[in-house]
Amino acid sequence: MPRNSSHPATLAAQALGWIDPSTGAVVLPLYTATTFERDPDNQYRRGPSYGRADNPGYNQPEALITSLEGGAASLLFASGMAAATAVFRSLPLGAHVVAPQIMYHSLRRWIAGGAAEGHLKVDFVDMTSLDALRQAVRPGETRLVWTETPANPLWSVTDIAGAAEIAHNAGALLAADNTAASPVLTRPIELGADVVMHSATKYLNGHSDVIAGSLTGARDDEFWRKLTATRSSGGAILGSLETYLLLRGMRTLYLRVERACRSAQRIAEAMAAHPRVAAVLYPGLPGHPGHDIAARQMRGGFGGMLSIRVMGGEAAAIETAARVRLWKRATSLGGVESLVEHRASVEGPGTPVPSDLLRLSVGIEDSDDLIADLAAALG
Ligand SMILES: Cc1ncc(COP(=O)(O)O)c(C=O)c1O
């Protein structure tokens, strides 16, 4: 059973230190069972009943995420989208929500689609402005304020504590997509968030080999029980092998994120001085509009994600991505290998992303190699 330590890096490295009581194994077994035996009197005193509702393999990774996020409980999901959409699907039909203009595009599209079909009402606002949020919330009517910080792919920063206060004053919950920062850098619950979401596909797993999601609740309350029921009845559960791989990935979370942050800061500074780069979007640069808030609510670094705007527009950006040799041209983020992506092509018509923008996910390679490769590709 876990021995408590005050340092999250220690908790992560030891995955809370759980030992298999029957064998002493320091890595717990993978549970593949879909069903569990009842007691002779028809009860389930040992706990689990059926694999869609219960998987003993979830206990350790969920407890670890809860501990790293400083919450009351966590739930694993089959993907980040499954986790995020479970939050919206657990609201009353037709609920009013406020979401950022700049956020993960598939979720923005899903929310907009839900609003078009009348499942919810939404206002998309500039979430870097607390005044804009204050004007958008409808006291007594807004049920949820969704935030993502730093937000994909401009890495704009939301003041989580300020947003939580506005949401709570209006009687709404505050949810934070903490995928880009990870709990290493930001703990939204300490800043007032009610629910924290991760695409665990990204930093939590960190090896580009598992699609997974998680939610962490600040309280084990009625809304949390609704989310638990939404997962079990909706059926978007994580497979056993993916659960095992995710826990293994989380053991190195701190090393990976610390390294990615250091390298991203160096790359951002090098790109800011490059004559073919028109702008660098990274909260770690003092000129970034969200730098001061990020410095307050992120500890130990500004993340491994940044974007550059290439001189010469869309064609020059796409040509730059075509010329890299070390960086991989691929979507996603938060893995050990560095990725580059022309984001406007991915998001398609109507995207708010500038067409000269390349999104960079910094991995754990040597940062000099990464800078040299990008500089050569820029020409
Ligand atoms: C910030 C953010 N949130 C949510 C998601 C969705 O996660 P998944 O792909 O695991 O469903 C992503 C995926 O790219 C993301 O970057």
Side-chain angles (χ1 to χ4, degrees), residues 16 18 58-77 83 87 176 189 193-198 204 213-229 231:
L16 295 177
W18 289 17
Y58 287 0
N59 297 344
Q60 193 179 7
E62 287 181 345
L64 179 57
I65 295 171
T66 300
S67 162
L68 299 183
E69 288 290 356
S74 294
L75 289 165
L76 293 179
F77 286 83
V87 176
I189 288 172
D194 302 287
V195 180
V196 174
M197 174 253 153
H198 280 279
L204 293 186
S214 70
L215 295 177
T216 301
R219 294 167 303 280
D220 187 354
D221 56 8
E222 199 186 324
F223 188 65
W224 186 254
R225 284 188 284 283
K226 193 119 191 258
L227 288 170
T228 308
R231 180 182 71 175

Side-chain angles (χ1 to χ4, degrees), residues 79-82 104 148 152 177 179 197 199-202 211-212 333:
S79 66
M81 279 298 285
Y104 175 58
E148 177 185 327
N152 236 313
D177 181 339
T179 299
M197 174 253 153
S199 167
T201 313
K202 318 300 183 197
I211 299 278
L333 58 100

Side-chain angles (χ1 to χ4, degrees), residues 252-270:
T252 56
L253 175 68
Y254 281 73
L255 283 179
R256 290 184 284 101
V257 170
E258 283 161 15
R259 169 73 168 229
C261 283
R262 270 203 311 277
S263 296
Q265 184 75 39
R266 285 201 64 216
I267 292 165
E269 287 164 10

Side-chain angles (χ1 to χ4, degrees), residues 237-257:
I237 55 161
L238 193 62
S240 293
L241 177 62
E242 288 75 10
T243 304
Y244 162 82
L245 287 170
L246 172 61
L247 184 64
R248 187 166 77 159
M250 283 197 288
R251 286 174 173 251
T252 56
L253 175 68
Y254 281 73
L255 283 179
R256 290 184 284 101
V257 170

